[in-house]
Amino acid sequence: MALDELTEELARSAAAGDHRALGELLKRIEPDVLRHCARILPYHQDAEEACQDTLLAVARNIGRFEGRARFSTWLHIVTANCARTTYRSLKRRAAEQTSDELPMQKPDVRRVSVIAGSRLDLLDAMEALEADKPDLAQALVLRDIVQLDYNEVAEQLGIPLGTAKSRIHQARKYVQGQLGEDYR
């Protein structure tokens, strides 16, 4: 999500308490947020749900945006976290369904791309990583999902560059282990 300077300015104004700026900001970022959620969640309705959750999180937490980094970086993190939370929620709801309710819908391999199926596997692996090693998950999200460079990851996490690189490497190895031999 490369946002223009007007959007960055709206974010700073909204963070300072300007409600008009917040409304305009939410309208401007919605298409980008939906696209980003759709890259993480393979089903459009799930991506829309995550998008709405992200916009709500932005509205509730804009006061926490300090402006140390660009708003687009902050928004990437919020969007990735909301998409992963939506995925966990959907997975939990599906697991709670009983056999006499609607059957759990799994991707039909004849109608879902390999990439979409892989994303489900990747989300499961990321969920395991976050549960076991949250500091590694945070670094991996910033590098591989938000696509920050290593220096920006280190800056966002407040850690040395070498530590950031190490965490990302360890996280990738962990995720590869979760995904199995087919993904190496």
Side-chain angles (χ1 to χ4, degrees):
M1 273 185 271
L3 303 177
D4 62 15
E5 284 307 313
L6 176 59
T7 305
E8 296 287 337
E9 180 57 38
L10 285 170
R12 287 188 290 276
S13 296
D18 183 342
H19 295 291
R20 183 204 57 78
L22 177 61
E24 182 64 28
L25 175 68
L26 294 175
K27 281 189 234 170
R28 288 181 68 88
I29 65 172
E30 184 176 11
D32 290 327
V33 169
L34 181 58
R35 263 191 307 280
H36 192 69
C37 289
R39 277 191 252 147
I40 297 171
L41 297 163
Y43 298 106
H44 186 71
Q45 293 90 344
D46 299 346
E48 286 179 338
E49 183 176 334
C51 177
Q52 292 304 310
D53 290 345
T54 301
L55 295 175
L56 183 59
V58 168
R60 286 184 177 160
N61 298 306
I62 192 68
R64 294 182 185 164
F65 172 63
E66 299 171 352
R68 288 183 293 162
R70 293 185 56 81
F71 173 72
S72 58
T73 301
W74 184 81
L75 181 59
H76 274 296
I77 295 166
V78 172
T79 303
N81 288 341
C82 285
R84 289 179 18 235
T85 299
T86 298
Y87 174 72
R88 284 192 297 270
S89 173
L90 293 167
K91 187 175 168 182
R92 186 175 45 254
R93 278 187 259 166
E96 291 170 354
Q97 289 180 339
T98 61
S99 59
D100 56 322
E101 291 178 2
L102 291 173
M104 188 166 123
Q105 294 180 354
K106 292 193 176 206
D108 179 351
V109 293
R110 295 169 299 191
R111 295 184 14 214
V112 177
S113 74
V114 172
I115 294 170
S118 298
R119 283 187 286 190
L120 295 176
D121 293 346
L122 181 59
L123 287 169
D124 286 336
M126 287 294 299
E127 185 177 359
L129 175 64
E130 190 171 35
D132 290 347
K133 301 176 182 203
D135 56 331
L136 299 184
Q138 202 174 26
L140 186 66
V141 166
L142 290 172
R143 177 67 186 124
D144 291 352
I145 295 176
V146 179
Q147 298 180 338
L148 297 181
D149 66 34
Y150 289 103
N151 289 322
E152 292 172 314
V153 171
E155 183 179 318
Q156 282 290 317
L157 297 176
I159 58 177
L161 178 60
T163 303
K165 288 181 177 182
S166 175
R167 286 183 184 179
I168 293 163
H169 176 73
Q170 290 173 34
R172 286 175 178 161
K173 283 182 68 169
Y174 183 96
V175 168
Q176 283 178 341
Q178 291 290 311
L179 293 174
E181 292 296 320
D182 293 340
Y183 290 93
R184 291 179 190 215

